[in-house]
Amino acid sequence: MTEQSLPSLDVKRQDGVLWVSIDAPPVNLMTAQLMLDLDAVAASAENDPDLHVIVVQSTNPEFFLAHGDLSFVEDPATYAALPIAEETLVGTGPMMRLHERWRRLPQTTIAKVAGLTRGGGSEFVSSLDLRFAALETAAFGQFETLMGIVPGAGATAHLPRLVGRARALEIVLTGGLVDAATAERWGWVNRALPAAELDAYVEWVALTIATLPDGVRAAATEAIDAADGPLEDALRAEDRLLGETFTAASGELARAALAAGAHTREVELDIEEVLRANLVRPS
């Protein structure tokens, strides 16, 4: 996938990472155009073996994604007919299909949230793999019940898995905003960081994941996803994937660690940085 400019997105690529910036003023509303643009990014990424991580962020410091376009209620048939992720989760609505398409991407997907995100916006965030938020300014909410409906783009499926049933019920039934610190404590986001540290930390996470040895990111993800099934199946999956990733290249990394002083007290105090130094980074 190459860099591109879509009507509501700016897309740039760096070292196996795609940076997707939402730019749909004034509040980054989830309009049909924005949904089509996000679908175009996902469609391009699905079969890109050289792309390892996708980071979604916003150019608007106040809003990540405000929520779905409420004017859809004026013409629900046109909304339902939007040609978005048409082969994904067939029979559901276009926003649900869009979020599921993103959830299924082979890349590691990351939301970097500095502002507000509600409704369909927070459902999109919940469908991604990792979520990081600005401590002072980010907040999340599902206000659909305040409009007499239930969430319809993934919230009731994803939230119990992220925060547990009781907290999911609190989020959905009260319709209130959840600040970043609470979202972190509940497990809705990975980390809530001071806003001044958010960009650098997410960049470090993205580049670290993107430059792992070939096959390791996908294998680790497959192993962790197997934990959703029976424990014995998950353990067998991990054992199989260890065998598949234990290659001549990984053996060389172990030997390099030993040569650098692994097993000694001095190196073991900070062995992660020694291991990182041995990784071959792309040019």
Side-chain angles (χ1 to χ4, degrees):
M1 182 174 184
T2 58
E3 293 185 7
Q4 57 182 299
S5 181
L6 297 163
S8 57
L9 302 174
D10 182 58
V11 181
K12 296 181 179 179
R13 187 166 182 155
Q14 171 197 8
D15 297 332
V17 180
L18 197 70
W19 296 86
V20 179
S21 299
I22 303 167
D23 186 11
V27 297
N28 286 352
L29 199 63
M30 189 80 93
T31 61
Q33 185 61 64
L34 179 51
M35 292 170 62
L36 288 165
D37 289 350
L38 286 168
D39 193 47
V41 171
S44 297
E46 282 172 336
N47 297 303
D48 188 339
D50 298 319
L51 181 62
H52 307 299
V53 178
I54 305 175
V55 179
V56 185
Q57 57 191 0
S58 171
T59 62
N60 185 332
E62 292 185 301
F63 294 93
F64 178 80
L65 280 168
H67 49 75
D69 185 348
L70 301 183
S71 67
F72 287 150
V73 299
E74 301 297 339
D75 190 358
T78 298
Y79 166 72
L82 286 172
I84 290 174
E86 293 177 292
E87 302 304 316
T88 304
L89 211 62
V90 175
T92 63
M95 193 178 294
M96 177 81 80
R97 298 196 307 270
L98 172 68
H99 297 172
E100 179 63 8
R101 187 175 208 173
W102 273 82
R103 188 190 71 82
R104 296 183 188 183
L105 284 175
Q107 291 81 18
T108 301
T109 53
I110 301 174
K112 184 176 78 175
V113 183
L116 300 176
T117 187
R118 299 176 171 102
S122 55
E123 287 174 303
F124 175 73
V125 168
S126 295
S127 72
L128 303 186
D129 293 314
L130 306 174
R131 290 157 289 279
F132 300 95
L135 186 60
E136 304 93 331
T137 54
F140 308 80
Q142 299 294 157
F143 58 30
E144 290 88 350
T145 54
L146 303 181
M147 298 189 298
I149 59 174
V150 299
T156 59
H158 293 306
L159 284 176
R161 290 169 166 81
L162 293 171
V163 306
R165 179 179 182 272
R167 285 170 172 161
L169 282 168
E170 180 179 346
I171 291 166
V172 171
L173 294 180
T174 67
L177 268 179
V178 177
D179 62 79
T182 303
E184 178 194 51
R185 190 168 66 251
W186 286 3
W188 200 348
V189 300
N190 291 66
R191 294 180 189 242
L193 300 127
E197 301 174 14
L198 182 62
D199 288 353
Y201 186 76
V202 171
E203 182 175 13
W204 178 82
V205 169
L207 292 175
T208 296
I209 295 171
T211 52
L212 288 171
D214 289 345
V216 169
R217 181 191 61 80
T221 302
E222 182 181 344
I224 290 169
D225 287 344
D228 284 338
L231 177 59
E232 184 173 315
D233 291 348
L235 294 170
R236 291 188 181 281
E238 182 181 284
D239 183 72
R240 171 179 58 82
L241 290 159
L242 169 63
E244 292 176 5
T245 56
F246 192 75
T247 63
S250 60
E252 287 303 313
L253 287 171
R255 293 185 188 94
L258 288 167
H263 298 185
T264 66
R265 177 183 177 278
E266 291 76 11
V267 170
E268 292 293 336
L269 287 171
D270 195 24
I271 194 169
E272 291 84 3
E273 294 312 308
V274 172
L275 297 174
R276 292 186 204 284
N278 292 332
L279 293 176
V280 177
R281 303 289 177 174
S283 58

